[in-house]
Amino acid sequence: MEKYKQEFIDFMVDADVLKFGDFTLKSGRKSPFFMNAGAYVTGSQLKKLGEYYARAINEHYGLDFDILFGPAYKGIPLVVATAMAISELYGVDVRYCSNRKEVKDHGDTGILLGSPIKDKDRIVIIEDVTTSGKSIEETFPILMAQGDITIKGLMVSLNRMERGKGEKSALEEISGLYGFPTGAIVSMQDVVEHLYNKERGGRIVIDDTIKSAIDTYYGLYGAK
């Protein structure tokens, strides 16, 4: 596993973004782990987060694209931080864009904020985590309505590796449905491999009990 991925896993744990215990997800599933990107609350955390996204995007898709798109609302700080990181790390200026939940009818009107999208633009979408593909379902028609554009891929921070609406993972379902590649900075397999029986902050983050709960969870909900 690349060093930046190991560092990112530690970063999620230290920021209290990735937690282990007993959680009820929006889907109703009982999960032994939970990720909340809303827990990144400081400037230094957002700076680091943008750098991890930038490295993963460069690794998966390269930097030959025009726009980073982040679905509202959580995608807005992600896309700003990542655009800044790409500029700082690689000297490449990409534009950023997001959607509004409601169309603005005065001043800077329309459904989008940030850069306009035009014909021939190549777009990379970034999100925190995808469990059902709902945000892509909402934003894909908005993007395609802007002109003759190409979506180069979707990047999320964590691949939960569990079934979406069918037997495949949500990321695989999105790729199959919309025809563009998907990727993640790290997967839960990476997380378990890196943290199992290792001390972090004076405690074992994934001990035998948590590991057993994760294995049971994937026995029930793991993607095929």
Side-chain angles (χ1 to χ4, degrees):
M1 189 192 321
E2 294 89 334
K3 185 179 179 182
Y4 84 89
K5 293 184 178 182
Q6 297 177 37
E7 292 174 352
F8 179 63
I9 294 167
D10 292 337
F11 172 64
M12 285 194 292
V13 172
D14 293 346
D16 211 24
V17 166
L18 181 61
K19 302 179 181 182
F20 298 90
D22 185 15
F23 306 94
T24 301
L25 305 180
K26 188 183 293 185
S27 64
R29 294 175 182 174
K30 302 286 188 180
S31 174
F33 60 92
F34 181 69
M35 199 207 96
N36 174 27
Y40 295 117
V41 294
T42 70
S44 62
Q45 287 175 338
L46 287 172
K47 183 176 185 295
K48 284 184 180 180
L49 181 60
E51 291 170 355
Y52 290 123
Y53 268 102
R55 292 184 189 281
I57 288 169
N58 185 40
E59 179 183 315
H60 282 76
Y61 309 126
L63 300 174
D64 188 21
F65 63 93
D66 306 293
I67 290 182
L68 276 173
F69 181 85
Y73 289 104
K74 285 186 178 179
I76 297 174
L78 297 182
V79 81
V80 172
T82 305
M84 293 173 69
I86 288 174
S87 175
E88 183 173 332
L89 291 177
Y90 303 109
V92 175
D93 250 351
V94 296
R95 290 138 52 207
Y96 81 89
C97 180
S98 184
N99 64 299
R100 294 185 171 99
K101 289 291 189 179
E102 303 84 18
V103 178
K104 189 177 179 184
D105 59 5
H106 61 281
D108 180 21
T109 60
I111 192 67
L112 301 178
L113 57 86
S115 173
I117 297 175
K118 58 183 186 296
D119 279 349
K120 309 304 180 184
D121 274 341
R122 298 157 300 170
I123 299 171
V124 171
I125 304 170
I126 59 176
E127 287 197 284
D128 55 348
V129 66
T130 296
T131 53
S132 68
K134 182 172 175 56
S135 66
I136 298 298
E137 182 180 331
E138 293 173 350
T139 57
F140 183 78
I142 295 172
L143 291 173
M144 300 309 293
Q146 305 307 309
D148 180 18
I149 58 101
T150 299
I151 298 178
K152 292 198 66 173
L154 165 69
M155 180 61 61
V156 301
S157 58
L158 177 67
N159 180 0
R160 288 185 58 98
M161 299 177 63
E162 62 190 80
R163 295 199 306 269
K165 296 176 181 177
E167 294 299 309
K168 295 181 179 180
S169 73
L171 288 179
E172 290 176 310
E173 288 178 349
I174 288 169
S175 185
L177 186 60
Y178 299 105
F180 55 78
T182 58
I185 303 175
V186 294
S187 67
M188 272 306 297
Q189 181 177 340
D190 296 328
V191 170
V192 173
E193 176 187 324
H194 180 64
L195 292 178
Y196 179 46
N197 276 340
K198 292 180 183 176
E199 187 175 302
R200 186 73 191 169
R203 65 189 176 97
I204 302 297
V205 180
I206 298 181
D207 58 15
D208 289 339
T209 300
I210 295 294
K211 175 66 162 54
S212 177
I214 292 172
D215 290 343
T216 299
Y217 185 77
Y218 280 112
L220 292 171
Y221 302 116
K224 302 300 183 184

